């Protein structure tokens, strides 16, 4: 036990005094203002959809919705999956959302693998309250068969690098991944309208989640006697601070959750923090929306017939088939690049970096069959309680032009996005050609599950028939 | 026997690898870190160490390596424990264990994307992370996955869809080709070059012995290419250590 403590990093008295004295003079060690966030970068992941014959169990796992957020030195990855389960007995018409936090030992030598520590649990609870209990994610639209089958959404948050202020970064990552997540569509059909058909991704477009508002967490660190507050504490500031307050707010100014621990703060300071938080929440919401717009536009450009693979917006992945000569060329490119274009700290200006350079227009978002592409601005923010088939048709009809968020990005303008690496420009055009061929050999199938069955079968369906 | 051209779903030939990418020093708190991707299989590895002390069952006269495998979602099960064990044994034969006795070096592997050939990708990432952390190594381990199709031809670096369809596959790990001032042929064991030795071999499915040797030949050739790529990507990133901030 002593060996573990010996290996952890301890703050020296000199550093502690320095940080405290600097804050008393309104200076922060990394040259930020007291209410400035560190530069935030949101990147989205790429996933492979497997067609149903390759799933071993009948619990249909839908991949998709992965994001990685870098807030200064802090890095958090979020991954969303869904499966069909039996609902809770007291809420038979609502789906479930659960958040799992993994404090990976790679983030901090003090984190131990295995049981989550108290801070891990606290972080999970704060994100959970902000997302689930404030009603940000619509649960009733996840119901498939009342009382029998609902979608259960699971969000896994992996903390990869602890640079301070994990709560804010984890919250942004969870939001970004939930916004890009798509689940397969399932309808009731068959001979007697009792059979559940889960449509394959090739058949019908997967559906996004209905998200009413974006709750954003803003963390304040308290120093001194409760009078000095700074936003977005770095790791060193966190080990010196006297207390912490996290306010989860959406861009409408609604407070979703408040968590406070540590030394006492007067109520006037808290009111001031709430006002600052409203401004910061709006800023972060617009950043997330901007990232989403670029991502969705990129997705529709490269897959005009809507293929289910999310666009890779990682910097270092040229998507061409490489033989030896091309490997040499690639290494030549990597060597010639400026060092800070490679991965971390690639964007110091605070804007969102996306690795594709596509110019997108909103008209291209129309998918086949004239069904409008479900980008965030088309979602109906206040769905009534409907069955799945009606819900789908109401989504088609409504297409509300206004967002819940205040600052809506005008999507009819063409979008130019910064490109961290120059050499991916040449490769991105070939991406559209390469990847659709990956899925030409995948067969389109759908599963038929016959109801009624016992409760055990509803949870884990053992046998299913597949029909071409 | 003459190799037959196999139709692969993404248009590669049987000898083509997916695009490789290696980035080192991606994390700030870890002593060494690397992100390795082969197509859609992406693995992030971080290294902490050496830390004082070893666990009870480890030999205190040597350094020990501790591997933690983090899957993308879900709890840690038997598959993850198996990967940890294979990775640990591979890295133990790669590191110089007698330099820092009675210490523990932790390697943490996080799966960011899984599209086939996950274990080779993790081995490559861990070696790059160990080199980034400055842990003394004998050589780097370079890993490849070779699959055997039903028509008994060998394909390299199968994707997850291909892995389910083929007859058998093998994960092969070779040491990387050394560059030395000694004349060629002096670094040999029994007239075989040192990089032809197999560090680790894990097979799934049944394959005839002749086909296994085919896989070894192909894997060895491919690993020579991967180790060239690895060496060049490390050389090109070496100056970044001078500008690294704390």
């Amino acid at each position: 036990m002593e060996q573990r403590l010996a290996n952890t990093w301890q703050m020296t008295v000199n550093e502690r005094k320095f940080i405290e004295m600097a804050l008393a003079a309104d200076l922060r060690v990394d040259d930020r203002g007291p209410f400035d966030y560190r530069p935030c970068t949101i990147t989205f992941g790429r996933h492979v959809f497997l067609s149903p014959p390759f799933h071993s169990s009948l619990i249909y796992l839908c991949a998709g919705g992965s994001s990685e957020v870098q807030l200064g030195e802090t890095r958090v990855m979020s991954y969303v999956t869904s499966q069909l389960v039996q609902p809770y007995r007291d809420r038979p018409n609502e789906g479930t959302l659960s958040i799992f936090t993994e404090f990976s030992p790679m983030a901090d030598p003090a984190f131990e693998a295995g049981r989550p520590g108290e801070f891990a649990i606290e972080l999970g609870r704060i994100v959970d309250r902000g997302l689930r209990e404030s009603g940000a994610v619509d649960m009733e639209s996840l119901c498939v068969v009342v009382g029998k089958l609902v979608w259960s959404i699971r969000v896994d948050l992996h903390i990869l690098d602890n640079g301070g202020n994990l709560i804010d970064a984890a919250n942004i990552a969870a939001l970004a991944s939930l916004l890009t997540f798509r689940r397969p569509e399932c309808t009731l059909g068959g001979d007697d309208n009792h059979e559940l058909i889960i449509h394959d991704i090739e058949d019908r477009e997967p559906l996004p989640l209905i998200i009413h508002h974006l709750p954003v967490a803003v963390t304040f660190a308290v120093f001194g006697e409760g009078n000095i507050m700074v936003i977005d504490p770095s790791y060193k500031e966190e080990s010196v601070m006297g207390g912490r307050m996290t306010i989860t707010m959406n861009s409408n100014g609604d407070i979703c959750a408040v968590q406070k621990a540590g030394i006492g703060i007067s109520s006037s300071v808290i009111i001031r923090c709430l006002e600052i938080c409203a401004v910061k929440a709006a800023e972060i919401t617009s950043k997330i929306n901007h990232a989403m717009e670029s991502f969705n536009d990129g997705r529709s450009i490269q897959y005009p017939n809507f293929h289910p693979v999310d666009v890779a917006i990682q910097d270092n992945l040229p998507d061409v088939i490489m033989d030896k000569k091309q490997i040499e060329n690639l290494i030549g490119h990597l060597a010639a690049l400026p060092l800070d274009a490679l991965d971390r700290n690639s964007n110091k200006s605070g804007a969102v970096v996306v690795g594709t350079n596509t110019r997108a227009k909103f008209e291209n978002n129309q998918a086949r069959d004239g069904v409008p592409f479900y980008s965030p601005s088309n979602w109906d923010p206040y769905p009534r309680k409907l069955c799945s088939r009606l819900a789908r048709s109401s989504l088609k009809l409504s297409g509300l032009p206004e967002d819940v968020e205040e600052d809506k990005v005008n999507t009819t303008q063409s979008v130019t996005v910064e490109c961290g690496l120059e050499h991916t420009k040449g490769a991105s055009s070939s991406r559209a050609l390469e990847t659709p061929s990956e899925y030409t050999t995948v067969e389109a199938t759908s599963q038929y599950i016959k109801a009624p069955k016992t409760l055990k079968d509803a949870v884990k369906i053992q046998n299913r028939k597949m029909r071409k | 026997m003459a190799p037959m051209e196999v139709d692969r779903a993404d248009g590669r030939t049987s000898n083509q690898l997916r695009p490789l990418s290696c980035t080192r020093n991606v994390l700030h708190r870890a002593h060494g870190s690397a992100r390795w991707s082969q197509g859609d299989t992406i693995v992030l590895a971080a290294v902490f160490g050496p830390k004082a002390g070893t666990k009870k069952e480890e030999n205190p006269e040597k350094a020990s390596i501790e591997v933690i495998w983090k899957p993308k979602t879900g709890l840690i099960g038997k598959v993850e424990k198996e990967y940890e064990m294979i990775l640990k044994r591979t890295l133990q034969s790669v590191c110089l264990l007698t330099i820092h006795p009675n210490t523990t070096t932790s390697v943490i592997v996080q799966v960011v994307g899984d599209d086939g050939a996950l274990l080779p990708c993790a081995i490559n990432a861990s070696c790059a992370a160990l080199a980034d952390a400055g842990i003394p190594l004998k050589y780097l381990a370079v890993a490849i996955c070779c699959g055997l199709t039903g028509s008994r031809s060998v394909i390299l670096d199968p994707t997850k869809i291909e892995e389910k369809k083929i007859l058998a596959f093998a994960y092969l790990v070779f040491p990387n080709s050394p560059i030395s001032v000694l004349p060629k042929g002096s670094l040999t064991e029994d007239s075989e070059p040192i990089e032809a030795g197999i560090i680790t071999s894990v097979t799934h499915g049944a394959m005839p012995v002749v086909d296994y040797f085919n896989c070894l030949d192909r894997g060895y050739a491919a690993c020579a290419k991967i180790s060239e790529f690895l060496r060049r990507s490390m050389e090109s990133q070496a100056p970044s250590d001078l500008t690294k901030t704390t």
Side-chain angles (χ1 to χ4, degrees):
Chain A
M1 183 63 189
E2 292 78 24
Q3 286 168 351
R4 281 257 177 221
L5 288 175
N7 290 326
T8 57
W9 172 79
Q10 304 275 1
M11 169 73 91
T12 60
V13 176
N14 290 358
E15 273 186 293
R16 176 186 296 269
K17 285 256 153 62
F18 183 76
I19 295 177
E20 284 172 356
M21 283 193 337
L23 281 168
D26 221 18
L27 293 168
R28 286 178 87 169
V29 181
D30 48 4
D31 201 26
R32 284 187 278 159
F35 302 118
D36 285 345
Y37 260 92
R38 288 170 289 181
C40 176
T41 316
I42 307 175
T43 49
F44 297 94
R46 184 187 179 114
H47 294 280
V48 177
F49 281 88
L50 293 180
S51 86
F54 299 122
H55 284 291
S56 54
S57 80
L58 277 171
I59 300 173
Y60 191 97
L61 289 174
C62 176
S66 149
S67 73
E68 208 172 299
V69 169
Q70 175 125 21
L71 182 64
E73 291 193 350
T74 303
R75 189 188 277 250
V76 178
M77 179 175 89
S78 162
Y79 186 49
V80 179
T81 46
S82 68
Q83 69 185 47
L84 282 171
V85 295
Q86 208 191 2
Y88 290 124
R89 268 203 285 167
D90 54 344
R91 283 169 215 250
N93 62 336
E94 285 185 9
T96 61
L97 171 72
S98 39
I99 315 251
F100 290 86
T101 3
E102 283 277 332
F103 269 46
S104 171
M106 73 165 64
D108 197 322
F111 296 160
E112 296 193 5
R115 276 184 67 86
E118 33 172 78
F119 183 51
I121 298 177
E122 189 186 352
L123 190 149
R125 277 300 296 146
I126 297 175
V127 177
D128 193 48
R129 268 189 302 168
L131 282 176
R132 189 162 51 89
E133 294 181 21
S134 69
V137 181
D138 186 64
M139 290 288 130
E140 290 174 352
S141 62
L142 298 174
C143 174
V144 178
V145 179
V146 175
K148 294 233 176 76
L149 281 178
V150 297
W151 284 105
S152 164
I153 310 287
R154 178 192 164 116
V155 180
D156 282 280
L157 293 166
H158 297 281
I159 314 287
L160 301 176
D161 209 357
N162 182 11
N165 199 10
L166 294 172
I167 301 174
D168 292 9
N171 202 306
I172 298 174
L175 284 173
S177 57
L178 283 170
L179 285 168
T180 53
F181 175 68
R182 299 279 186 272
R183 61 172 175 85
E185 188 185 338
C186 47
T187 50
L188 289 172
D191 307 327
D192 50 356
N193 266 5
H194 278 318
E195 292 183 351
L196 179 73
I197 312 168
I198 304 177
H199 292 280
D200 194 39
I201 303 147
E202 301 273 313
D203 278 347
R204 305 266 189 106
E205 293 173 26
L207 303 172
L209 297 174
I210 297 179
I211 307 215
H212 298 305
H213 60 94
L214 295 178
V216 170
V218 178
T219 301
F220 293 83
V222 193
F223 298 90
E225 283 148 25
N227 46 347
I228 307 176
M229 308 281 283
V230 297
I231 275 193
D232 190 19
S234 67
Y235 182 65
K236 296 201 172 161
E237 287 169 345
E238 271 190 352
S239 37
V240 175
M241 68 184 177
R244 178 214 313 267
M245 181 164 73
T246 301
I247 302 173
T248 309
M249 215 184 224
N250 64 16
S251 53
N252 285 343
D254 302 324
I255 302 175
C256 303
V258 178
Q259 178 102 350
K260 192 216 158 295
I263 65 176
I265 315 174
S266 70
S267 43
S268 56
V269 176
I270 293 187
I271 302 283
R272 193 161 153 254
C273 287
L274 286 172
E275 291 162 9
I276 297 167
C277 182
V279 174
K280 291 293 162 188
E283 274 176 31
I284 295 181
T285 310
S286 72
K287 256 191 208 163
I288 297 177
N289 281 335
H290 187 65
M292 287 297 307
E293 298 279 337
S294 323
F295 174 65
N296 281 330
D297 290 338
R299 186 184 358 212
S300 67
I301 273 295
Q302 299 202 354
Y303 306 103
N305 294 325
F306 185 73
H307 272 275
V309 178
D310 296 350
V311 174
I313 312 186
Q314 293 286 349
D315 289 344
N316 299 343
L317 295 177
D319 201 22
V320 291
I321 312 292
M322 290 169 63
D323 58 4
K324 177 184 170 188
K325 189 157 178 296
Q326 285 170 312
I327 293 180
E328 287 172 2
N329 286 342
L330 169 65
I331 293 165
H333 279 130
L334 283 174
L337 283 171
L339 287 167
D340 55 358
L342 291 168
D343 224 300
R344 70 173 169 107
N345 292 335
S346 62
N347 181 18
K348 297 200 192 315
S349 64
V352 172
V353 171
V354 171
T356 153
N357 69 336
T358 54
R359 285 175 169 271
K361 284 195 166 286
F362 186 68
E363 295 82 69
N364 287 326
N365 279 357
Q366 297 295 323
R368 55 169 180 229
D369 303 329
V371 173
F373 187 76
Y374 293 128
S375 65
S377 55
N378 280 347
W379 292 337
D380 180 357
Y382 303 106
R384 295 174 303 257
K385 187 169 135 185
L386 298 167
C387 81
S388 55
R389 208 185 314 147
L390 279 180
R392 189 160 175 269
S393 54
S394 83
L395 280 174
K396 255 197 254 183
L397 292 172
S398 62
L400 280 184
E402 48 180 335
D403 276 336
V404 183
E405 289 82 39
E406 288 174 343
D407 37 352
K408 173 180 167 231
V409 176
N410 189 356
T411 53
T412 55
Q413 290 170 355
S414 62
V415 175
T416 49
V417 289
E418 293 171 3
C419 184
L421 290 182
E422 292 304 306
H423 76 275
T424 54
K425 273 185 181 156
S428 62
S429 55
S430 58
R431 204 180 291 166
L433 300 171
E434 300 295 354
T435 38
S437 63
E438 285 180 39
Y439 297 93
T440 48
T441 56
V442 169
E443 294 162 336
T445 61
S446 27
Q447 300 81 49
Y448 289 81
I449 303 170
K450 266 213 167 103
K453 290 211 160 199
T454 64
L455 288 176
K456 212 167 151 191
D457 288 303
V459 172
K460 192 166 182 179
I461 305 157
Q462 296 294 340
N463 300 312
R464 62 177 177 175
K465 290 184 287 188
M466 292 192 295
R467 209 172 65 163
K468 286 201 201 267
Chain B
M1 78 187 209
M4 291 193 285
E5 280 307 306
V6 182
D7 241 347
R8 295 176 82 169
D10 50 7
R12 288 186 282 156
T13 68
S14 49
N15 268 342
Q16 261 181 332
L17 304 171
R18 287 174 287 182
L20 298 171
S21 154
C22 170
T23 325
R24 291 187 303 130
N25 206 13
V26 285
L27 301 175
H28 296 78
R29 300 299 305 284
H31 296 150
S33 55
R35 185 192 189 102
W36 183 282
S37 69
Q38 285 173 208
D40 282 329
T41 305
I42 308 170
V43 175
L44 180 64
V47 169
F48 282 97
K51 290 184 281 196
T54 50
K55 292 201 184 134
K56 280 190 198 159
E57 57 267 11
E58 303 279 349
N59 182 4
E61 289 181 22
K62 290 191 178 174
S64 73
I65 302 195
E66 174 195 21
V67 176
I68 299 169
W69 181 287
K70 289 271 175 197
K72 200 166 182 184
T73 183
L75 297 169
I76 295 185
K78 293 186 198 155
V79 178
E80 285 77 31
K81 291 282 180 201
E82 187 195 356
Y83 284 155
E84 283 180 8
M85 193 251 324
I86 298 173
L87 196 54
K88 177 177 164 167
R89 301 249 182 101
T90 306
L91 295 176
Q92 269 174 343
S93 53
V94 163
C95 296
L96 286 161
L97 296 174
T98 47
I99 290 189
H100 300 294
N102 203 19
T103 59
T104 306
T105 304
S106 309
V107 179
I108 300 115
V109 173
Q110 170 74 53
V111 176
V112 177
D114 181 10
D115 187 25
L118 185 60
L119 187 61
C121 194
I123 293 173
N124 290 331
S126 315
C127 280
L130 283 171
D132 188 46
I135 308 286
L137 305 171
K138 290 183 225 171
Y139 34 66
L140 292 167
V142 183
I144 185 94
C145 176
C146 302
L148 187 73
T149 61
S151 51
R152 297 189 66 189
S153 56
V154 178
I155 56 172
L156 291 179
D157 203 12
T159 60
K160 201 161 198 156
I161 300 175
E162 288 173 340
E163 264 183 9
K164 308 260 180 192
K165 285 200 281 198
I166 55 182
L167 208 60
F169 59 89
Y171 298 135
L172 299 166
V173 185
F174 295 93
N176 79 326
S177 342
I179 291 182
S180 88
V181 295
L182 299 172
K184 210 176 169 84
S186 63
L187 280 176
T188 61
E189 292 198 34
D190 298 329
S191 80
E192 246 189 25
I194 199 167
E195 63 263 25
I198 309 171
I199 300 178
T200 303
S201 159
V202 183
T203 56
H204 290 250
M207 58 169 86
V209 176
V210 173
D211 292 330
Y212 178 66
F213 285 127
N214 276 346
C215 284
L216 285 182
D217 290 333
R218 293 285 195 87
Y220 169 51
C223 278
K225 293 285 178 287
I226 300 181
S227 75
E228 261 179 51
F229 165 74
L230 191 55
R231 184 180 290 280
R232 264 183 278 199
S233 78
M234 286 202 186
E235 281 171 1
S236 66
Q237 287 189 18
S240 74
D241 291 335
L242 297 172
T243 58
K244 185 177 160 186
T245 54
T246 48

